[in-house]
Amino acid sequence: MPDTPRNNLSIYDDAADRWWSDELRWVRTLKKMVPGRMAWFDRHVDWQGATVLDLGCAGGFMAEAMARRGAAVTGIDPAEDAIAAAKAHARSEGLDIRYEVGVGEALPYADGSFDTAVCVDVLEHVQDLETVVSEVHRVLRPGGVFLFDTINRNPLARFATITVAEDLLGLLPKGTHDPEMFIPPRTLRRILSAQGFTVDRFTGLGPRGIDRNGDFVFGRLPSTAIIYMGMARKAGG
């Protein structure tokens, strides 16, 4: 049998019509990760009134969480059907979120457009990481904050993400990730620094328990061996 295609981003469009239904376990997993991410991101940003870019927003889980905290959110993603689902759900919830189709390598925004950029479950998928980081730096205002998470590159991260999450538990569709695109923290720190960011300490993200539906509950972890979160700040401001 042929190898499973890797870094398969068509899954986001394929699941768009069920993004907010809780029917798909892997989509529920992404939704369950939002509170754990936000609990840590909340420490670094005052969302009220902030202009925020959600880069790689998919169907809008993070965008809605930030909008409910008072941010003016713009979400962008290459998955057209996922963007349509995000727009429809935001309207149904009475949330004023701007959504657009686009890629991180060529953001359609003027220099200094945002106070904060958020990028979760994305950096390990992009075709040109350095260009994406450069674009994020460009569209942030001086003093702006970049919040992100991604997957470490090592045998443990590969085992946990590919063998366990994709192949054994079905927490993600097979082929979601290409382990060759995973990013060691030192590499990401180097790229961020080269683009002019001051980089803060990274922290881990992962399962902290199981809820009554049998889904993982996610939160901050001391180890960055598998998934790690970070904050970087643009100079000035």
Side-chain angles (χ1 to χ4, degrees), residues 71-228:
V73 181
T74 297
I76 189 168
D77 197 284
E80 294 185 27
D81 291 344
I83 286 291
K87 288 179 178 180
H89 195 268
R91 285 194 301 268
S92 73
E93 294 292 307
L95 296 171
D96 184 13
I97 300 173
R98 175 187 176 190
Y99 284 113
E100 297 178 286
V101 176
V103 297
E105 288 87 351
L107 294 174
Y109 311 113
D111 296 0
S113 294
F114 300 98
D115 299 312
T116 302
V118 173
C119 186
V120 299
D121 189 31
V122 170
L123 296 177
E124 69 272 16
H125 294 290
V126 302
Q127 296 303 310
D128 189 333
L129 179 59
E130 293 189 17
T131 298
V132 170
V133 172
S134 176
E135 279 288 271
V136 170
H137 186 271
R138 179 184 66 80
V139 302
L140 281 174
R141 296 189 176 105
V145 173
F146 181 29
L147 297 168
F148 52 86
D149 69 30
T150 192
I151 302 175
N152 204 334
R153 185 173 177 177
N154 56 51
L156 178 59
R158 180 173 184 146
F159 175 76
T161 307
I162 306 297
T163 304
V164 176
E166 291 189 16
D167 298 339
L168 297 179
L169 298 182
L171 297 178
L172 296 167
K174 291 186 178 182
T176 298
H177 292 105
D178 180 352
E180 297 304 314
M181 299 176 73
F182 292 170
I183 309 167
R186 64 182 180 278
T187 299
L188 184 52
R189 185 177 293 276
R190 173 182 57 77
I191 292 171
L192 288 163
S193 298
Q195 294 298 335
F197 283 105
T198 299
V199 188
D200 204 347
R201 181 178 297 177
F202 296 160
T203 191
L205 173 68
R208 294 283 300 269
I210 298 176
D211 66 16
R212 65 181 64 186
N213 296 317
D215 293 327
F216 285 119
V217 176
F218 290 84
R220 184 183 177 190
L221 296 176
S223 173
T224 60
I226 300 174
I227 303 174
Y228 60 97

Side-chain angles (χ1 to χ4, degrees), residues 2-54:
D3 292 338
T4 302
R6 289 291 169 191
N7 198 39
N8 178 17
L9 303 185
S10 67
I11 61 172
Y12 298 100
D13 276 334
D14 294 343
D17 62 339
R18 292 174 286 174
W19 194 260
W20 289 92
S21 71
D22 286 342
E23 292 179 20
L24 299 175
R25 187 181 186 190
W26 74 266
V27 177
R28 286 203 318 273
T29 299
L30 297 182
K31 187 178 182 181
K32 298 283 186 178
M33 295 178 80
V34 172
R37 287 167 168 151
M38 292 301 296
W40 191 73
F41 290 173
D42 286 346
R43 300 183 179 192
H44 301 284
V45 174
D46 179 2
W47 302 105
Q48 187 64 45
T51 55
V52 178
L53 175 65
D54 184 0

